């Protein structure tokens, strides 16, 4: 942990302001010695949270909690403390996060303290209830005095849900008289914001399955206003143990709830524009990827203002802030009615999220709406400012990307729009995006990335359609780039091949994957799956590949028969190609070869027959296009069936890529496809997950899949 330098005068001034705040008259009497220790301890925690690297928000949260434990529970203390923290300098602009963490710690501790007090009240009330049950026969007056004088709202009902009695505190809470409440049914008090399961738990209580429950629950008052309460409902049984009454105790927590809502809003919204901030945007975006439908789509419009720096530099930051607020208002007014989320990512960058997009046309229309909304000048004081923007447009199927990759792609597309002349929108181009990411990643980081341990391998399962067993796993290299996040092979392999860096990377992948496969065989024996590893074109054309592979197999102890190498159609361009010598040398070692992504290039079927391959993998685009409404599905299936028949005629095993639904898996099985992979069977996962799947494989019997594709990865 490193700590940024802090001027001693700044620290002393903060300590003095902090001590003055805690010494103020807030209705809390603290011994001077204890107060000094509290001031010193909490101020130290906050200074560390302000300046330490890395940022540790739990220190600020601990400071907030210590104040509550010392009886500083007045909301005025929290408000003044947050105001004081906002004025303090902090590293990396972490002020808002620091305030949020402090307030969250204070609120959490206050809630815990309140819950303890409530539990004490509940316990006391429970004891009083039991004593009252015994004393009821002797003195109804004593029970009535306790009931009416309670400081929290209490209501009594029968197990049929009829309200029998309410005390004065409850009447005041609801702003109603006894005639408005007695005789009503508990079920009439439903509120749209009730927590999930509250009424299921209530039914369990009145049926005698539980003794009590607690929830934070809103109610409508008699005047229509909403009051938030902490509700505790207990069951009263008769001498035989039969449920007889329910007793509800309600504490008004509306102020605490509203404070929490304000803090939550501040944590997820930009204070300048009122738009959702970066954290809220990514939270919303990531929800789209949690459990998407197979055909779900989304769109992004990445917006950057043109010439904003000139406004800031010439007219000042105050004018720039007013311009940003005006732009945000225009974007919100134009796009929110269309159901699109508008968020500010920072500076003069905004983003529009299209959930459940209907296609590229809708995303382009949103981009045009952005440009139209910003077409007119903005009046700021005496200045009439012309504001323009450039927009990068991305529209994809959810299943084809990740949140981080999507935002990076939209950002790169935005810069293509700026390079093209600004004031325009540009649509995402996968080829341009891949080239841009690859060029940057390889040129800046890749030469030393292997030494830094930034690469790792995930494994995607391949299942046999005939019996549902785990047949093989495909090794897929990933790059944990420190700036760009996790990159898939499509984002760096092409450029690595162009620069020659694919050779050391390819050797590393073979070494790691073969070692992992050998370990699975040692642990699980014949139940371990076959290993599939992709070969880049330059690798397959290298005369050194045969020797490298022989050394790797010897060092790892992997049986060559358990390894299949995958080549692309472009690896061999004719029967005289020198790469054929390398491929034959690999097969002579005992490994098998398969043609990957078959059908994406101009395949020469005449010499496919002469290649030393034993398998063929149908490109995922064939299966994906089966669900394209613009294309005839049955024609697509006939093409896939023809490819399967052709491959079988050549004696090749056929694997279908990109299988995402149970229906597609079953139909592929029916037409004779041997293996399949795709999200229906499982995404690429860590080796530990593959080991778990191997261990769970049924032993000694086939798994029926008729009418249902394999259950793995459902």
């Amino acid at each position: 942990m490193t700590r940024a330098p802090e001027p001693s005068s700044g620290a002393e001034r903060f300590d003095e302001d902090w001590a003055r705040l805690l010494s103020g008259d807030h209705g809390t009497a603290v011994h001077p010695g204890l107060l000094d220790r509290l001031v010193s301890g909490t101020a130290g925690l906050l200074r560390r949270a302000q300046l330490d690297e890395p940022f540790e928000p739990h220190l600020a949260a601990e400071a907030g909690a210590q104040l509550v434990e010392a009886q500083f529970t007045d909301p005025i203390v929290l408000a003044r403390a947050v105001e004081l923290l906002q004025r303090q300098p902090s590293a990396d602009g972490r002020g808002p996060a620091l305030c949020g963490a402090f307030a969250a710690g204070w609120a959490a501790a206050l809630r815990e303290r309140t819950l303890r007090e409530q539990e004490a009240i509940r316990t006391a009330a429970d004891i009083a209830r039991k004593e009252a049950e015994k004393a009821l026969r002797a003195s109804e007056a004593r029970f009535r005095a306790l009931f009416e004088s309670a400081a929290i709202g209490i209501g009594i009902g029968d197990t049929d849900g009829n309200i029998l009695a309410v005390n004065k505190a409850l009447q005041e809470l609801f702003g109603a008289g006894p005639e408005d409440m007695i005789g009503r049914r508990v079920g009439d008090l439903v509120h749209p914001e009730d927590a999930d399961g509250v009424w299921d738990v209530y039914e369990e209580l009145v049926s005698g399955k539980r003794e009590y429950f607690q929830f934070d629950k809103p109610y409508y008052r008699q005047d229509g206003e909403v009051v938030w309460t902490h509700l505790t409902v207990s069951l009263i049984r008769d001498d035989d143990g039969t449920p007889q009454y329910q007793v509800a105790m309600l504490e008004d927590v509306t102020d605490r709830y509203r404070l929490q809502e304000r803090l939550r809003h501040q944590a997820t919204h930009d204070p300048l524009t009122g738009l959702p901030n970066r954290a809220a945007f990514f939270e919303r975006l990531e929800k789209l990827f949690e459990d998407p439908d197979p055909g779900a789509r989304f769109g992004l419009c990445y917006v950057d203002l043109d010439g904003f720096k000139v406004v800031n530099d010439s007219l000042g930051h105050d004018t720039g802030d007013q311009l940003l607020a005006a732009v945000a208002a225009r974007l919100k007014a134009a796009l929110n009615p269309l159901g699109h989320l508008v968020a500010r990512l920072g500076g003069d960058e905004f983003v529009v999220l299209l959930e459940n997009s209907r296609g590229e046309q809708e995303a382009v229309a949103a981009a045009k709406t952005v440009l139209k909304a910003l077409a007119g000048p903005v009046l700021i004081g005496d200045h009439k400012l012309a504001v323009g923007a450039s927009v990068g447009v991305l529209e994809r199927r959810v299943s084809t990307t990740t949140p981080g990759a999507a935002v990076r792609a939209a950002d790169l597309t935005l810069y293509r729009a700026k390079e093209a002349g600004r004031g325009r929108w540009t649509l995402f181009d996968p080829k341009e995006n891949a080239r841009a990411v690859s060029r940057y990643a390889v040129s800046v980081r890749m030469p030393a990335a292997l030494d830094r341990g930034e690469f790792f391998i995930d494994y995607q399962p391949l299942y046999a359609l005939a019996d549902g067993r785990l047949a093989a796993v495909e090794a897929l290299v990933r790059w944990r780039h420190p700036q760009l996040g996790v990159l898939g092979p499509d984002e760096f392999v092409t450029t690595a091949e162009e620069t020659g860096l694919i050779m050391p990377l390819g050797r590393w992948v073979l070494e790691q994957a073969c070692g992992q496969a050998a370990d699975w065989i040692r642990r699980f024996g014949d139940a371990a799956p076959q290993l599939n590893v992709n070969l880049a074109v330059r690798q397959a054309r290298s005369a050194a590949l045969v020797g490298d592979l022989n050394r790797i197999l010897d060092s790892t102890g992997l049986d060559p028969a358990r390894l299949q190498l995958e080549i692309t159609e472009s690896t061999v361009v004719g029967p005289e190609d020198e790469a054929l010598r390398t491929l034959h040398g690999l097969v002579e070692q005992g490994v098998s070869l398969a043609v990957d992504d078959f059908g994406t290039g101009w395949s020469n079927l005449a010499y496919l027959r002469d290649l030393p391959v034993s398998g063929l993998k149908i490109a995922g685009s064939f299966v994906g296009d089966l669900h394209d409404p613009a294309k005839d599905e049955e024609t697509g299936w006939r093409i896939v069936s023809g490819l399967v028949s052709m491959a079988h005629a050549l004696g090749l095993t056929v694997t279908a890529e990109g299988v995402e639904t149970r229906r597609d898996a079953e139909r592929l099985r029916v037409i004779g496809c041997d293996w399949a992979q795709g999200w229906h069977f499982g995404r690429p996962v860590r080796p530990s997950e593959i080991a778990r799947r191997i261990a769970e494989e049924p032993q000694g019997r086939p798994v029926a899949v008729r009418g249902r594709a394999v259950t793995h990865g459902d």
Side-chain angles (χ1 to χ4, degrees):
M1 175 185 298
T2 60
R3 177 172 296 174
E6 178 187 45
S8 59
S9 61
E12 293 171 359
R13 186 163 54 254
F14 174 75
D15 288 353
E16 292 172 358
D17 292 342
W18 190 249
R20 191 178 302 110
L21 170 65
L22 299 188
S23 302
D25 182 14
H26 303 297
T28 302
V30 182
H31 188 277
L34 295 177
L35 181 61
D36 290 343
R37 288 196 294 273
L38 178 66
V39 170
S40 174
T42 53
L45 289 171
L46 291 172
R47 284 198 307 274
R48 290 172 58 195
Q50 288 169 349
L51 300 172
D52 281 4
E53 294 292 345
F55 178 39
E56 298 188 64
H58 68 87
L59 298 175
E62 175 61 22
Q66 288 186 14
L67 291 191
V68 173
E69 290 300 319
Q71 311 294 329
F72 287 83
T73 59
D74 190 337
I76 295 176
V77 176
L78 174 62
R80 292 178 177 173
V82 169
E83 180 182 358
L84 176 59
L85 291 175
Q86 288 176 336
R87 297 198 303 264
Q88 303 306 310
S90 60
D92 300 324
R94 65 178 63 156
L98 174 68
C99 293
F102 173 80
W106 188 89
L110 180 61
R111 175 177 174 80
E112 183 63 27
R113 174 190 176 90
T114 303
L115 288 175
R116 290 198 302 267
E117 294 174 350
Q118 291 171 349
E119 183 60 22
I121 293 173
R122 190 198 67 76
T123 302
D126 189 52
I127 295 172
R129 171 178 57 79
K130 293 178 181 178
E131 293 176 351
E133 286 176 348
K134 296 179 182 179
L136 184 61
R137 292 181 291 271
S139 176
E140 176 66 22
R142 183 183 305 171
F143 169 76
R144 184 56 57 183
L146 173 66
F147 179 73
E148 291 296 342
S149 61
I152 62 174
I154 301 176
I156 300 174
D158 59 26
T159 54
D160 292 329
N162 300 305
I163 299 176
L164 305 177
V166 293
N167 70 350
K168 291 182 179 179
L170 189 61
Q171 295 171 37
E172 293 174 356
L173 184 68
F174 279 85
E179 68 279 359
D180 299 314
M181 303 190 67
I182 295 176
R184 293 184 66 184
R185 294 186 59 81
V186 174
D188 296 337
L189 303 178
V190 173
H191 190 278
E193 295 185 42
D194 282 337
D196 293 339
V198 62
W199 290 102
D200 294 334
V201 173
Y202 172 77
E203 291 297 332
E204 291 179 4
L205 180 130
V206 295
S207 64
K209 295 179 181 178
R210 63 167 59 226
E211 297 302 313
Y212 77 96
F213 68 84
Q214 293 181 329
F215 274 99
D216 283 349
K217 176 177 167 25
Y219 290 97
Y220 287 114
R221 287 170 45 90
Q222 192 73 7
D223 56 10
E225 293 293 322
V226 175
V227 57
W228 276 86
T229 70
H230 182 70
L231 168 69
T232 301
V233 183
S234 301
L235 183 66
I236 297 178
R237 301 177 184 268
D238 61 16
D239 293 340
D240 297 327
T242 303
Q244 190 170 13
Y245 298 105
Q246 53 177 309
V247 176
M249 295 180 288
L250 292 83
E251 179 189 6
D252 187 349
V253 295
T254 303
D255 290 340
R256 187 187 73 199
Y257 175 80
R258 289 174 177 168
L259 172 62
Q260 291 173 341
E261 285 297 298
R262 285 197 300 272
L263 294 174
R264 186 179 299 113
H265 185 274
Q266 291 172 4
T268 58
H269 285 74
D270 173 45
L272 175 62
T273 65
L275 293 177
N277 59 14
R278 175 182 289 270
F281 163 71
F282 273 100
E283 180 181 354
R284 183 86 164 262
L285 179 63
E286 287 166 356
K287 283 184 179 180
L288 296 180
F289 289 77
E290 289 178 357
D291 187 21
D293 294 333
R297 307 185 70 89
F298 76 104
L300 292 177
C301 293
Y302 207 114
V303 183
D304 186 83
L305 301 185
D306 295 331
F308 178 74
K309 185 176 184 299
V310 175
V311 175
N312 258 351
D313 292 345
S314 59
L315 301 178
H317 288 278
D318 183 59
T319 300
D321 287 348
Q322 294 181 60
L323 177 59
L324 288 174
V327 166
R330 288 191 180 187
L331 294 178
K332 184 176 180 180
L335 292 156
N336 282 12
L338 302 177
H340 306 327
L341 172 73
V342 181
R344 182 188 179 204
L345 298 184
D348 60 338
E349 291 185 342
F350 300 85
V351 67
V352 182
L353 172 62
L354 289 74
E355 300 176 309
N356 301 315
S357 170
R358 294 188 294 272
E360 285 186 353
Q361 297 84 351
E362 185 178 12
V364 169
K368 292 180 178 178
T369 301
V370 169
L371 298 179
K372 182 179 179 181
L374 302 180
V378 179
L379 184 63
I380 305 293
D382 296 331
H383 303 286
K384 186 178 290 188
L385 304 177
V387 58
S390 300
V391 185
V393 184
L394 171 81
E395 202 281 335
R396 301 288 298 276
R397 287 172 60 191
V398 175
S399 61
T400 62
T401 185
T402 63
V407 173
R408 288 196 302 271
D411 192 14
L412 289 172
T413 304
L414 164 69
Y415 282 97
R416 285 179 49 224
K418 284 188 172 294
E419 291 171 357
R422 303 190 174 192
R424 65 184 66 203
W425 59 268
T426 297
L427 191 61
F428 170 76
D429 183 333
K431 294 181 180 178
E432 286 291 335
N433 181 74
R435 280 194 288 269
V437 172
S438 296
R439 283 195 300 269
Y440 174 80
V442 172
S443 62
V444 175
R445 192 80 185 183
M446 192 172 182
L450 269 175
D451 295 335
R452 294 188 177 107
E454 294 175 4
F455 290 97
F456 65 96
I457 300 176
D458 280 342
Y459 297 85
Q460 185 168 29
L462 287 72
Y463 281 90
L465 293 175
D467 58 12
R469 65 184 172 84
L470 177 61
V473 293
E474 180 177 356
L476 297 171
V477 64
R478 304 283 192 258
W479 184 359
R480 190 177 288 105
H481 196 284
Q483 282 82 41
L484 302 177
V486 176
L487 303 178
D490 291 344
E491 297 179 284
F492 60 84
V493 166
T494 299
T495 304
E497 189 162 9
E498 292 174 353
T499 60
L501 292 170
I502 193 64
M503 300 304 293
L505 177 62
R507 282 194 297 270
W508 180 85
V509 171
L510 276 171
E511 290 170 351
Q512 297 297 313
C514 288
Q516 181 62 72
D519 178 65
W520 285 329
I521 293 173
R522 284 190 292 269
R523 293 169 60 188
F524 302 107
D526 290 340
Q530 170 184 289
L531 172 67
N532 289 14
V533 179
N534 294 283
L535 286 183
V537 173
R538 182 174 290 208
Q539 279 182 282
R541 292 177 176 273
S542 171
L545 177 61
V546 176
D548 288 343
L549 182 61
N550 184 57
R551 176 183 55 79
I552 291 170
L553 292 174
D554 285 344
S555 64
T556 61
L558 178 64
D559 181 357
R562 307 298 289 271
L563 173 63
Q564 182 170 87
L565 301 176
E566 299 181 6
I567 61 175
T568 62
E569 297 176 40
S570 58
T571 301
V572 179
V573 296
E576 304 301 325
D577 196 310
E578 292 184 0
L580 279 173
R581 182 180 303 174
T582 299
L583 299 182
H584 281 288
L586 296 173
V587 173
E588 288 172 1
Q589 290 193 43
V591 305
S592 59
L593 296 177
V595 178
D596 190 18
D597 285 332
F598 185 81
T600 57
W602 297 96
S603 305
N604 188 332
L605 300 180
Y607 75 83
L608 176 62
R609 171 184 56 189
D610 300 322
L611 288 176
V613 297
S614 57
L616 181 151
K617 298 180 74 173
I618 300 174
S621 58
F622 280 96
V623 178
D625 287 347
L626 295 173
H627 303 290
D628 188 339
K631 299 180 180 180
D632 181 60
E633 181 177 355
E634 287 306 315
T635 299
W637 277 113
R638 283 195 292 272
I639 294 174
V640 172
S641 180
L643 289 174
V644 172
S645 298
M646 180 271 295
H648 284 169
L650 295 173
L652 305 179
T653 300
V654 183
T655 301
E657 299 180 298
V659 181
E660 297 184 1
T661 67
R662 183 178 302 167
R663 175 176 173 270
D664 289 344
E666 173 60 14
R667 189 154 184 180
L668 287 165
R669 185 192 68 80
V670 170
I671 65 177
C673 187
D674 302 296
W675 294 357
Q677 67 185 106
W679 284 14
H680 172 61
F681 300 98
R683 304 187 185 194
V685 293
R686 306 299 298 130
S688 59
E689 172 62 17
I690 295 297
R692 184 189 67 78
R693 292 194 180 201
I694 299 172
E696 292 178 356
E697 280 283 297
Q699 302 297 317
R701 61 182 177 87
V703 179
V705 296
R706 186 160 190 79
R708 166 175 165 72
V710 294
T711 59
H712 306 282
D714 282 1

